[in-house]
């Protein structure tokens, strides 16, 4: 199925439903996209890319379309579910609780959150988390807190990464599927002015008792599964950053050609044109990286590295684009929901899913692979 065919019936139907709603809530958006077939199309044949657990070109098409019509927070709500939580659940056995929950989410009947960032540790240091699981007979007992969780206040279930043993070995962590209505779960909205529609908050677990079927996959493979899924989240981040940068450049170019200073269009100023051209160069580089990430390349870098490259490039390109465009827009950028508001929210592209500094370390570790340096002795 060509991507234009995918975008035409399913996505256009969903966008029409979303646009008909004056202020669609994130849960409503998810349901509209699911019932229109957009969500299932991300994972169904023809051949989802095995590197990412979904079809990256369809994800790019969907994120671009949603970014054009929805606030950043609402698109973020969709992105976390589609690119991270659902691929994790879909890896589970079809007849397991996780597998059944995945089907319910794809159908739009329920919504999901991914709870990894821990109250007891810095966001990038997951192995220092304090949230833990203890075995009591046939039951699992979950205690701890997760913070800055997207969809915390709107989800039905959370995928919770928790410690099952002391220490930082990767086998000491498990993933649990936690109903947010379970006794002992408390949801606390985040005190923030940003990310309307993302349902950001904290999840507190006070001796939450769950049966063993709430484990997602092997008890010792929680962190490994999360590490695989984070590559898809980073891919989505880069694809979305490219869509957002392109949209802002288009809006700014329209403004510059319309606005007149001393009788001439602002666009006719050579300094303005050169600054804008530099942003176009950056965005087209990012677009080329997106296309490469969406097309399997024999002998290319592993998915973890390809995703890190794309996410880091996306964050840096978007930061420069929003900073310069906000300056070029002048006073209009300070309006309610103007470009300075978006700049603040878009800072998450350099933080969530791994900070840009963390990604640079990962990229540097694979410098020889990326440079295709051969061993002279081979």
């Amino acid at each position: 199925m060509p991507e234009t065919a995918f975008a035409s019936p399913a996505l256009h139907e969903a966008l029409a439903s979303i646009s008909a709603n004056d202020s669609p809530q994130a849960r409503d958006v998810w349901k509209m996209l699911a019932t229109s077939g957009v969500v299932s199309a991300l994972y169904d044949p023809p051949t989802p890319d095995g590197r990412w657990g979904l079809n990256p070109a369809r994800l790019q098409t969907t994120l671009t379309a949603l970014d054009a019509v929805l606030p950043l927070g609402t698109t973020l709500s969709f992105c976390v579910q589609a690119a991270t939580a659902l691929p994790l659940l879909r890896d589970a056995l079809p007849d397991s609780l996780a597998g059944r929950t995945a089907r319910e989410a794809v159908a739009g009947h329920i919504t999901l959150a991914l709870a990894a960032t821990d109250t007891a540790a810095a966001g990038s240091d997951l192995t220092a988390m304090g949230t833990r699981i203890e075995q009591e007979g046939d039951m699992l007992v979950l205690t701890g807190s997760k913070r800055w969780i997207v969809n915390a206040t709107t989800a039905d279930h959370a995928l919770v990464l928790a410690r099952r043993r002391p220490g930082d070995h990767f086998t000491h962590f498990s993933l649990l599927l936690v109903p947010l209505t379970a006794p002992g779960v408390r949801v606390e909205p985040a005190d923030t002015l940003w990310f309307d529609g993302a349902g950001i908050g904290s999840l507190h677990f006070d001796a939450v008792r769950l049966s063993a079927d709430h484990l997602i996959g092997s008890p010792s493979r929680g962190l490994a599964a999360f590490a695989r899924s984070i590559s898809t989240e980073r891919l989505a981040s880069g694809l979305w950053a490219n869509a957002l940068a392109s949209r802002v450049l288009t809006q700014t170019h329209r403004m510059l050609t319309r606005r007149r200073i001393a009788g001439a269009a602002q666009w006719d100023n050579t300094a303005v044109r050169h600054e804008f051209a530099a942003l176009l160069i950056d965005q087209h580089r990012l677009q080329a990286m997106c296309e490469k990430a969406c097309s399997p390349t024999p002998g290319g870098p592993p998915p973890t590295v390809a995703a890190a490259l794309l996410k880091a490039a996306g964050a840096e390109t978007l930061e420069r684009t929003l900073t310069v465009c906000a300056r070029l827009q002048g006073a209009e950028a300070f309006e309610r929901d103007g470009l300075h508001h978006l700049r603040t929210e878009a800072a998450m592209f350099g933080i969530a899913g791994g900070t840009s500094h963390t990604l640079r370390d990962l990229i540097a570790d694979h410098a020889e692979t990326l440079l295709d340096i051969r061993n002279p002795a081979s």
Side-chain angles (χ1 to χ4, degrees), residues 142-179:
L142 177 67
T143 303
S145 295
K146 298 292 183 177
R147 63 178 177 176
W148 288 102
I149 305 303
V150 175
N151 297 331
T153 66
T154 59
D156 299 293
H157 298 265
L159 284 66
V160 179
L161 187 63
R163 173 185 301 283
R164 69 187 191 96
R165 290 180 181 171
D168 59 3
H169 194 272
F170 76 94
T171 61
H172 293 183
F173 303 88
S174 299
L175 268 172
L176 283 177
L177 182 63
V178 181

Side-chain angles (χ1 to χ4, degrees), residues 1 14 31 34 48-49 95 122 128 135 155 252-253 263 270 295 300 319 362 378:
M1 178 190 299
K31 184 175 182 178
D49 193 323
D95 293 333
Q135 188 91 32
T252 304
H253 177 263
T270 300
S295 302
E319 181 182 13
L362 173 60
S378 64

Side-chain angles (χ1 to χ4, degrees), residues 13 24 32 74 108 116 154 206 211 237 273 304 326 374:
E13 177 186 342
M32 293 173 193
T74 309
T154 59
D206 183 10
S211 56
S237 178
R273 291 165 61 85
T304 52
R374 311 285 182 178

Side-chain angles (χ1 to χ4, degrees), residues 352-365:
T355 65
S356 293
H357 290 292
T358 300
L359 297 180
R360 288 172 191 154
D361 277 341
L362 173 60
I363 292 165
D365 286 342

Side-chain angles (χ1 to χ4, degrees), residues 33-213:
L33 292 166
T35 56
S36 298
V38 172
V39 174
S40 61
L42 295 174
Y43 315 104
D44 291 343
T47 322
D49 193 323
R51 296 173 301 166
W52 314 117
L54 46 68
N55 186 309
R58 291 181 175 179
L59 179 63
Q60 182 176 31
T61 300
T62 305
L63 289 173
T64 301
L66 295 181
D67 178 75
V69 298
L70 292 174
L72 184 145
T74 309
T75 303
L76 177 60
S77 170
F78 167 83
C79 188
V80 167
Q81 296 183 82
T84 315
L86 256 178
L88 276 168
L89 287 183
R90 284 174 54 83
D91 282 344
L93 295 173
D95 293 333
S96 66
L97 177 60
R100 297 194 299 272
T101 303
R103 291 193 294 275
E104 289 285 290
V106 169
H109 301 320
I110 62 171
T111 53
L112 304 169
L114 179 69
T117 312
D118 205 90
T119 302
S124 58
D125 188 12
L126 293 179
T127 58
M129 72 176 62
T131 302
R132 66 187 188 279
I133 307 167
E134 295 177 343
Q135 188 91 32
E136 289 188 4
D138 295 334
M139 302 297 289
L140 303 172
V141 181
L142 177 67
T143 303
S145 295
K146 298 292 183 177
R147 63 178 177 176
W148 288 102
I149 305 303
V150 175
N151 297 331
T153 66
T154 59
D156 299 293
H157 298 265
L159 284 66
V160 179
L161 187 63
R163 173 185 301 283
R164 69 187 191 96
R165 290 180 181 171
D168 59 3
H169 194 272
F170 76 94
T171 61
H172 293 183
F173 303 88
S174 299
L175 268 172
L176 283 177
L177 182 63
V178 181
L180 295 186
T181 55
V185 177
R186 180 169 61 89
V187 179
E188 179 185 6
D191 183 15
T192 179
L193 298 173
W194 317 108
F195 307 109
D196 284 348
I200 292 178
S202 296
L203 299 175
H204 304 285
F205 309 108
D206 183 10
V208 178
R209 298 176 64 82
L210 300 166
S211 56
D213 62 348

Side-chain angles (χ1 to χ4, degrees), residues 21 34 129 173 223 227 262 275 296 303:
N21 192 319
M129 72 176 62
F173 303 88
L223 192 58
E275 277 199 294

